[in-house]
Structures are given as C-alpha cells and as structure tokens.
Amino acid sequence: MASIGVDIGGTKVLGVLLEESTVVRRVKLATPSQPADLAKSVENVVGELGGADSVGVGIAGLVQFPEGVFAWGPHVAGTRLPLRDQLEELLDVPIVVDSDANTAAYAEMTIGNGRGYSNMLLVTLGTGIGGAIVIGGRLYRGDSFAGEWGHMLYQPNGRQCACGKQGCWETVASGPALAALATAFVSENPSGSLSHLLSDTAITGKAVTQAADAGDEVARGLVTQVGADFGRGLCNLIAIFDPEVVVVGGGLGSIGESILGPARRVAADALHGAAHRMLPPILVAGLGPDAGAIGAGLMAQEVAENGIESV
Amino acid sequence: MASIGVDIGGTKVLGVLLEESTVVRRVKLATPSQPADLAKSVENVVGELGGADSVGVGIAGLVQFPEGVFAWGPHVAGTRLPLRDQLEELLDVPIVVDSDANTAAYAEMTIGNGRGYSNMLLVTLGTGIGGAIVIGGRLYRGDSFAGEWGHMLYQPNGRQCACGKQGCWETVASGPALAALATAFVSENPSGSLSHLLSDTAITGKAVTQAADAGDEVARGLVTQVGADFGRGLCNLIAIFDPEVVVVGGGLGSIGESILGPARRVAADALHGAAHRMLPPILVAGLGPDAGAIGAGLMAQEVAENGIESV
C-alpha cells in the first residue's frame, strides 16, 4: 500500500512516497512563510509525488493529537491551525498529523534503530532539539505536547531562544548554536584557519561540521563542545526516564560519532549514580534526517488500516 | 487485610500499620548508619507495630525493581543491598521493596490527590527531590531507576550536591537549600529579625518555614525563592511529560501554598508555549509526608493479592 509522508520543518517541507516501508520518491519544497499556505504546500508535495492511499504529516512544534491541530511552534509560523481538517478537505484519503519528533520516533521504533526496544527516547538535534517518548512499545504523548525537552532550562540567563525564553537546552546544542560558536571564534580570530575555510560561505552548523570533517582542529573542538552540551542534557533525560535506548536523529545528530562520542562521554560521567548502573546505548537514527517524513508515511499506513488509536 | 508500610529516608524510618487503607498505628526510628542494619531496623518497626500479612518498603534512592535491591542513594548508606531477600528471610510474609517516591506515588494514585488521573507526576520535596511517573494509570520505572529529576543539572557550576555532582535541581530546591539561604542571610544580617527568631534553634528548612508561618518577612521571601526554583524545575518536567496533574509531597512540599503558589506562578510563566496551552494542576499530596509509608503498605497488599506484576 503506497503512502506519502511529509515532514514540515523550519526551512523545508520534505515529502517521501513509500511503498510498504521503502522510499521510492522524494520531493523537497521551501516551508511557506504564511500559515494559510501550509496545507496547500502539503497538497503540492502530494501532487508532485503522484498521490497515495494515505498521507501522514509530521510538523515541528506542538500538535494536538489525534485532532491534528498545529497549536504553535517556535520554528514554523502558525497557531491553532486545523491541519488535519484542512488536508482532509484537500485530499480524499486518510490523514494523520503529529509532531515531527513523534513521526521520527515511529519510524525508528518500526524499522530503525529503536526496533525491538520497549522504552525508547528519540531526540532530534538540528535547528532545535525535539523529542518523542516510546513507553511499552507505544508513543507516549501526554496530553499531546510531551517531549519538549529542547526547552528545558539549561543555562540560567543564557542565550535567547527561538521560543522567546532564555537559556533553553537547544540554545547551546543545535545547528544554530554551533554556528554561533563558530561566528564568535571567527570574529575573534579573523586570520585563523577556520576563518579561511568559512570565508566563502554562510556560517551554518553544516558548514562547521564540514570544516571539522575536513580536519580543521578548531571546528572539531566546537563540534565536540556542542556534543558535550548535548550529552549533559541527555544525561538529564536518562536520569528522568531510565530508558533502554536513546536514538538521536535530526540534521546535526545524524552526523554521528563526532557529536555522539563526546555526548556519551559526558553523559556516562555525569549520570546520577553512574558508578552503580550502566549508561543505556545512545545510537544514531537508522533513518537519518529523513526519519520524520518516513515515519509520517508509516503512521499513515497504520492509521488507514487500523484507525488513529493504533498509533 | 492488615499490611505494614515502611519508608526509609535519610534520617528516619517511618512505619505505618494499615487496615485496608487506614493508618491504625505509626512508629518512627532513626535511620541506621550501617547498611547491614537496614533490614534489621525494618524488622524492628514491623515488630513494634505487631506484625501484618504483608510488608512494603519504600527507600530513598535507586532500587532495582522487582528484585528489591537497593542499588545506591545519596541520602542512605548502602550499595547493592538485597533488601527484599534479606526481609524475606527475617519476616515470613510477602515483601515488596521499591523507591520511596514510587511508593508515595502509589498511595497518591490509589487514595490520594492523583486518584482518577491517568498520567501523573509525583514530586517529593524534602531533604532532596524525588520523583515517580504514572503513565496510563501504572507506575513507569524505566529500567528501574526512572524519576531521578532531583539530579537534573539546574545551575551549571552551582552548589555541591549530596550525590557528588554540582548544581543539581535539589541543591536550590529542598529543605537543606532553604536552610542554606537562611544561614547565609543570618550571617550577613546578625541583628535582623530572622536571626532573632532562629537564635535558639538549628537552622533547618523546617525552622525557616515556621518562621515564615510566624509572619517573618525575610523567611517568607526565602520560602518564596525556593518555591520559585522548585517551579522552574517543575516547568521542565511539564514540558517533558505534559502530564494531567503534578502531585507534590515530601516534608517541604507538603507545607502547601507558600511553596506551591510561587512554583505555579513561575511554571505558568516559563512553560514552553505558555500562551497556547494550560498549565496542569500542581496539587499538594493528599497524604502529606506519610505518603511513602502508606503507599508501601498499599503496594504490599496488592502484591500479596495479585503478585508483583500488578504494581
């Protein structure tokens, strides 16, 4: 049964056409700046992919579930947007709308690196930090909005966050946080090797990780620093949930060991009662940054077959 | 069916004899300093209460469940102590051993202020901060050690914590944190009203809350400050779990509105997406600081009737 999964992020709308659980086509558009255009852009993605028997959408932010109302999010414009209702009018197939972190977790628990675990945390590390909770093999959403640990207080009076508050965890562990560290370093060391490497490009998290991959020591140090702050926050989550596994996705998280290595070292050292327990495995997402879109498609298949209560 | 519930805390071992869910007798001993004496002190409590058909124990720290092994805790001496096995040899009745926060949550969800809610957080505020998680009407323990949010990083490079790390949430929100604030104030203002009020007593959290109750403005301010830091941490937990209700127990938490009022105000303001959602109710524990002992007894009754899988 073919389904389409769509991941609406802060900058792009990614759609995948799935046959069973295999991606057979992808399409990417820019995220519209007007909330009123969001449903239309999903319709466009579905049209470009040729349609399907069911459509799932993951969106970055707070989503009322199962109603599929996008309540609000710091990275996508819109409030109280009845996205599921709008899409049901535009597309004559079963629709499910959830947070992008929940759809990513659904993919990882079904066909990714969370498969076989009963209790899993999915942490997305990209423009911000998102999260989803699997307990007893099922997504746990609380009253809808669970998993927003990117906005744990991490640095009292710290950097301004996109959410409007200060010092949230994602202000020190995210792509923009890595870019901010590099920007500060370059402005203080304008003749250094990193300045040279980044001189022809906008300083983004991705540019810094590429400089690190190219062997630049300063860039490596900055990636390690972000990995360490990521790990210190993971340590909080592990103390809170004592999960069997932590799976890390998102654009920055999916680069793997250069972030996860320092994260694991810090988490192992800082974990409450570390001498008397084991750190659970901290794994990279098996489906990489496409997990959100793939999971939305898998969730749509399940909803079409067994109803919304089944996911 | 009569059961006995025992709560082993950092300073005292409290036992209650329950008939159904009513406390008919109480006894309190000092917590032994030697780990080898813990099981014996539970036996003494059981003896003083006259015995029962089942015995439950809640202990402050990391408990392997259902094995009932006390792995470690910052406030009670002992590591890898097979408390359930030891008690089964000493007492010829069904035994259950869990963390004190889990037993307190069991009491609150069964006969306290968490009754009727499916997803609840129980937060104990006393010598430290403990926690328990109820999801779908059942205790969620993770791999055994979930709920240790008292040791979330809250103040990077902050005060030394009993756990060995620095800046944990409980270093700014607990009885000892309140006492430390008062001690610092008194030493800077030796002729002030608070110094006068506290001159004949050890400066403890309880003494400061009593001074606040007696109307001392400085003491009230310090209680409000601890309540605010407590609320800022609760806000993290609410963003993470989006629970239906938060129930606050423990010695300091059970004093009620003077702590919970400022906590609610801070949490309502700082909650992620606060303009687009409601803060869940933050309630005082219906069973007060006895919840841990009462819940241990209730859990023992349930285990005796329906086996360890039922709790």
Side-chain angles (χ1 to χ4, degrees):
Chain A
M1 200 165 78
S3 69
I4 286 173
V6 181
D7 183 353
I8 303 176
T11 57
K12 62 179 175 27
V13 177
L14 169 68
V16 296
L17 176 66
L18 293 183
E19 282 175 8
E20 299 296 337
S21 55
T22 305
V23 176
V24 295
R25 211 174 304 160
R26 302 168 95 252
V27 59
K28 205 187 271 192
L29 306 176
T31 301
S33 56
Q34 295 302 316
D37 298 334
L38 271 181
K40 183 73 190 161
S41 87
V42 173
E43 188 191 23
N44 290 342
V45 164
V46 170
E48 289 199 27
L49 290 170
D53 304 310
S54 60
V55 173
V57 176
I59 180 165
L62 304 180
V63 177
Q64 194 77 37
F65 188 91
E67 297 84 357
V69 174
F70 176 62
W72 172 79
H75 303 295
V76 177
T79 55
R80 293 176 202 231
L81 212 61
L83 207 52
R84 189 173 87 152
D85 286 354
Q86 293 175 343
L87 290 170
E88 279 179 346
E89 288 204 8
L90 292 171
L91 306 165
D92 195 24
V93 295
I95 306 284
V96 59
V97 176
D98 203 344
S99 78
D100 60 343
N102 279 343
T103 62
Y106 194 81
E108 289 296 324
M109 70 191 246
T110 310
I111 60 169
N113 282 341
R115 201 168 23 166
Y117 293 98
S118 180
N119 299 330
M120 168 184 100
L121 301 183
L122 184 288
V123 186
T124 60
L125 177 64
T127 309
I129 295 179
I133 302 159
V134 174
I135 287 180
R138 306 255 313 165
L139 281 165
Y140 165 81
R141 298 179 178 87
D143 239 21
S144 276
F145 301 156
E148 291 290 339
W149 43 60
H151 302 278
M152 283 193 289
L153 179 65
Y154 186 86
Q155 288 272 10
N157 307 312
R159 279 196 205 120
Q160 182 67 36
C161 183
C163 77
K165 298 200 299 292
Q166 280 182 285
C168 298
W169 184 26
E170 69 175 49
T171 65
V172 294
S174 61
L178 181 57
L181 288 174
T183 301
F185 184 89
V186 162
S187 96
E188 281 166 29
N189 303 274
S191 59
S193 63
L194 186 62
S195 301
H196 218 71
L197 270 170
L198 297 176
S199 59
D200 290 340
T201 174
I203 300 185
T204 60
K206 188 166 190 177
V208 182
T209 62
Q210 286 169 342
D213 286 344
D216 184 80
E217 286 302 323
V218 172
R220 283 190 182 177
L222 299 180
V223 170
T224 298
Q225 180 179 338
V226 167
D229 276 320
F230 183 59
R232 191 62 190 76
L234 286 186
C235 181
N236 286 350
L237 298 182
I238 293 166
I240 290 171
F241 285 97
D242 195 16
E244 288 173 84
V245 65
V246 177
V247 176
V248 178
L252 183 56
S254 298
I255 69 173
E257 289 310 300
S258 51
I259 284 283
L260 296 192
R264 269 189 219 105
R265 282 192 291 279
V266 167
D269 183 56
L271 183 60
H272 181 61
H276 309 280
R277 62 195 296 188
M278 302 286 288
L279 189 74
I282 298 173
L283 308 177
V284 71
L287 303 162
D290 286 1
I294 295 171
L298 295 174
M299 206 183 261
Q301 290 176 17
E302 182 64 26
V303 167
E305 283 177 39
N306 299 309
I308 196 92
E309 305 73 21
S310 63
V311 296
Chain B
M1 199 164 80
S3 68
I4 286 173
V6 181
D7 183 352
I8 303 176
T11 56
K12 60 176 177 26
V13 177
L14 168 68
V16 297
L17 176 66
L18 293 182
E19 282 176 7
E20 300 296 336
S21 54
T22 305
V23 176
V24 294
R25 214 174 303 159
R26 302 168 93 250
V27 60
K28 206 186 268 192
L29 305 176
T31 302
S33 57
Q34 295 302 317
D37 298 334
L38 271 181
K40 185 72 191 160
S41 88
V42 174
E43 188 192 23
N44 289 343
V45 164
V46 169
E48 290 201 26
L49 290 170
D53 304 310
S54 59
V55 172
V57 176
I59 180 166
L62 304 180
V63 177
Q64 194 77 36
F65 188 90
E67 297 83 357
V69 174
F70 176 62
W72 172 79
H75 303 296
V76 177
T79 57
R80 293 176 202 230
L81 211 61
L83 207 51
R84 190 174 84 151
D85 287 353
Q86 293 175 344
L87 290 171
E88 279 179 346
E89 289 204 9
L90 293 171
L91 307 165
D92 195 26
V93 295
I95 305 284
V96 58
V97 176
D98 202 345
S99 77
D100 60 343
N102 280 343
T103 61
Y106 193 82
E108 289 296 326
M109 70 192 247
T110 310
I111 59 167
N113 282 341
R115 201 169 23 165
Y117 293 99
S118 179
N119 300 329
M120 169 184 99
L121 301 182
L122 185 286
V123 186
T124 60
L125 177 64
T127 308
I129 295 178
I133 302 159
V134 174
I135 287 180
R138 305 255 313 165
L139 280 165
Y140 165 82
R141 299 177 178 88
D143 240 20
S144 275
F145 301 156
E148 290 291 339
W149 43 61
H151 303 277
M152 285 194 289
L153 179 64
Y154 186 86
Q155 287 272 9
N157 307 312
R159 280 196 204 119
Q160 182 68 35
C161 184
C163 77
K165 299 202 299 294
Q166 282 182 281
C168 299
W169 183 25
E170 69 176 47
T171 66
V172 295
S174 61
L178 180 58
L181 288 174
T183 301
F185 184 89
V186 162
S187 97
E188 281 167 30
N189 302 273
S191 59
S193 64
L194 186 61
S195 301
H196 218 71
L197 270 169
L198 297 177
S199 59
D200 291 340
T201 174
I203 300 185
T204 61
K206 188 165 190 179
V208 182
T209 60
Q210 285 169 342
D213 285 344
D216 184 80
E217 285 302 322
V218 172
R220 282 190 182 178
L222 299 179
V223 171
T224 298
Q225 181 179 339
V226 167
D229 276 319
F230 184 59
R232 192 61 190 78
L234 286 186
C235 181
N236 286 350
L237 298 182
I238 293 167
I240 290 172
F241 285 96
D242 195 15
E244 288 171 87
V245 66
V246 177
V247 175
V248 178
L252 183 56
S254 298
I255 69 172
E257 290 308 301
S258 52
I259 284 283
L260 297 190
R264 271 190 217 104
R265 282 192 291 279
V266 167
D269 183 56
L271 182 60
H272 181 62
H276 308 282
R277 63 195 297 186
M278 301 287 287
L279 187 75
I282 299 174
L283 307 178
V284 72
L287 303 162
D290 286 0
I294 294 171
L298 295 174
M299 206 183 260
Q301 290 176 16
E302 182 65 25
V303 166
E305 282 177 39
N306 299 308
I308 197 93
E309 305 74 21
S310 63
V311 296

